[in-house]
Amino acid sequence: MAGFCFGNVMLLSFPDYFGLGDFEREFKNFFGWLNLAFSLPVVLYSGREYFISAWTNLKAKRLNLDFPLALGILVMFLRSAYEIISQTGAGFVDTLCGLVFFLLVGKWMQERTFHHISFERDYRSYFPVAVTTINEGVERPIPLSDLKTGDRILIRSQEILPGRRYSTQRRG
């Protein structure tokens, strides 16, 4: 959502970046109101985690990185709303939407990176996902889930043996 709103706000902000002709001046206020409307879901939905985290940590008398981010988002939104409503400027809606969008992209990339380098995985992460079976002299890779009791498998040097959980109870 933040990316969609950011893209639309940037398109609607072009008259502010380039010289305004008479035709564009007529739409300046309309574009400002549209930009403000696009910023509402960015602030209230996409940026809500920053506000929640900042408020939670303030109640616990701690400061974290989300506090200045939430403060910046709030100040940019209020300043932009003031400028657009009072028709004294275009505001900083494009910067606001871009900030939230790129913060969320960074958070997503950080989570993906941490997931891939995490050492806290379950036992199945270290087992192979496929094995090579030998049937009538023909080698064929199959998924580990398709392996049946009695299948002949090829185990190369340094390969991990596929296994199943066996009961530790003694028989007899």
Side-chain angles (χ1 to χ4, degrees), residues 4-49:
F4 171 79
C5 292
F6 171 56
N8 282 295
V9 165
M10 290 303 291
L11 287 173
L12 293 172
S13 297
F14 271 119
D16 294 325
Y17 294 124
F18 300 121
L20 290 175
D22 293 331
F23 180 72
E24 287 92 3
R25 282 196 186 113
E26 295 176 17
F27 290 102
K28 182 179 178 184
N29 293 334
F30 178 68
F31 287 165
W33 283 101
L34 274 177
N35 282 345
L36 193 59
F38 276 122
S39 72
L40 284 173
V42 171
V43 171
L44 299 176
Y45 178 73
S46 299
R48 79 177 183 276
E49 288 183 29

Side-chain angles (χ1 to χ4, degrees), residues 143-163:
L144 189 60
S145 58
D146 293 347
L147 188 62
K148 295 182 222 76
T149 303
D151 285 346
R152 278 186 72 192
I153 61 173
L154 174 65
I155 302 172
R156 293 181 179 89
S157 178
Q158 302 295 321
E159 276 190 339
I160 297 173
L161 296 176

Side-chain angles (χ1 to χ4, degrees), residues 30-145:
F30 178 68
F31 287 165
W33 283 101
L34 274 177
N35 282 345
L36 193 59
F38 276 122
S39 72
L40 284 173
V42 171
V43 171
L44 299 176
Y45 178 73
S46 299
R48 79 177 183 276
E49 288 183 29
Y50 296 104
F51 292 108
I52 292 169
S53 175
W55 180 251
T56 303
N57 282 298
L58 275 178
K59 285 195 308 188
K61 297 184 182 192
R62 291 187 310 248
L63 283 180
N64 64 349
L65 185 60
D66 290 340
F67 177 75
L69 292 173
L71 185 64
I73 292 169
L74 182 65
V75 167
M76 270 196 283
F77 177 75
L78 293 175
R79 171 75 188 257
S80 298
Y82 171 76
E83 287 186 11
I84 291 169
I85 291 169
S86 66
Q87 297 180 358
T88 57
F92 303 100
V93 179
D94 51 350
T95 306
L96 168 68
C97 292
L99 173 69
V100 173
F101 174 66
F102 289 118
L103 283 171
L104 292 173
V105 167
K107 184 184 281 190
W108 174 75
M109 287 185 68
Q110 181 183 16
E111 287 173 0
R112 284 186 50 99
T113 303
F114 284 166
H115 171 73
H116 288 295
I117 64 172
S118 173
F119 293 105
E120 297 176 8
R121 298 181 184 212
D122 65 350
Y123 70 94
R124 290 173 290 181
S125 300
Y126 300 102
F127 288 126
V129 292
V131 292
T132 304
T133 60
I134 301 173
N135 191 5
E136 297 177 6
V138 178
E139 296 179 11
R140 195 181 100 202
I142 64 168
L144 189 60
S145 58

